[in-house]
Amino acid sequence: MATTVIEPEGRVDRVQIDGLALMKIVKHCHDALPAMVTGSLLGLAVESGVLEITHAFPSPDNGKDDEVDDDFQLEMMRMLREVNIDNNCVGWYQSMYLGIYSTSSVLESQFSYQTDLSPNAVVLLYDPLQTAHGNFCLKAFRLTDECLKMKEEGLNSFIKPSNIFEELPVTCVNQGLAQAMIQDWTPKSDITLDRLDLSTHPYLEKHLEFMCGWVDELAGEQQKFQYYTRHLARGNNKSKASWEASEAPKRMESLLVTNQMKNYCDQMDRFVGGSLGKLFLAGGLHKEERSSSAGP
């Protein structure tokens, strides 16, 4: 991450992204499939509590070489400033696979942005696979104040999994000429038969497969806690300070896994709800067709 610092303009409560910047993010994430990619967000935090994102550019694929990434970001921001484009870094974006975002890597990266760059820095997460399935998925997150405080103090305490990340509403805006062009390109007929697709098994199977993997990982984390608890019991040391020791298992890992499992449940609930509606609709059409074919 670059060392450029932006001054916060008060706490933001929503994100507004320019249509062109959004299309750059979408194109980058789709072109890089099946690899997951990252990039930088440029814009400005305004007084009305809105974080405006006006530009985005991808980060180079250099593995773990953070120094190369920082140099590239600074050089890109310098060149954008020369052509009169907003060059204030307000966060970063990343592609995700079927809603997987509650991981330690995302947590550490976002913590670095919010502490080193600005408290208003956000991460935009775009899911190209869910979008290809008909569900456009773009979410903005930042760490909550409770999570930031715990990370800054290096505590190994409990935090409610839903209080780790804070989701912000995202709206897309376009200039007048761009809006007119989109309206002119809109097809005259809005009939889309893809929404009537009844094949739900591959999508749900993949979610259930990942859910089983996260459950196994949570079980592994619980075994670490049980082993450490028995170790403390044998040593007759049950004080709270023992959980702050360096050899104590980190609670954040299991909390992130729990939060990700909740996200999977919410995604399956939304998808299954829409699929049941389509199945009832298809069943009604077949019933009407059979009754009409039977005749008087």
Side-chain angles (χ1 to χ4, degrees), residues 6 10 31 36 38 40 43 48 55 65 71 87 139 166 174 176 180 202 255-256 260 263 278 295:
I6 62 174
D31 291 346
M36 299 292 105
T38 61
S40 298
S48 57
H55 193 74
D65 196 344
D71 293 341
N87 66 318
K139 298 182 179 181
E166 177 185 4
N174 293 293
L255 296 175
L256 288 171
Q260 184 60 52
N263 182 58
K278 291 189 291 184

Side-chain angles (χ1 to χ4, degrees), residues 129-136 195:
L129 296 181
Q130 290 197 58
T131 300
H133 204 274
N135 180 27
F136 183 78
R195 297 183 180 180

Side-chain angles (χ1 to χ4, degrees), residues 179-198:
Q179 193 71 28
M181 182 183 66
I182 294 175
Q183 184 66 26
D184 186 61
W185 284 359
T186 302
K188 302 301 179 182
S189 176
D190 57 353
I191 299 177
T192 55
L193 299 179
D194 292 341
R195 297 183 180 180
L196 299 178
D197 184 19
L198 301 178

Side-chain angles (χ1 to χ4, degrees), residues 133 197-205 271 275-276 278-279:
H133 204 274
D197 184 19
L198 301 178
S199 60
T200 62
H201 296 294
Y203 188 81
L204 289 178
E205 286 178 1
F271 184 77
S275 300
L276 287 176
K278 291 189 291 184
L279 291 175

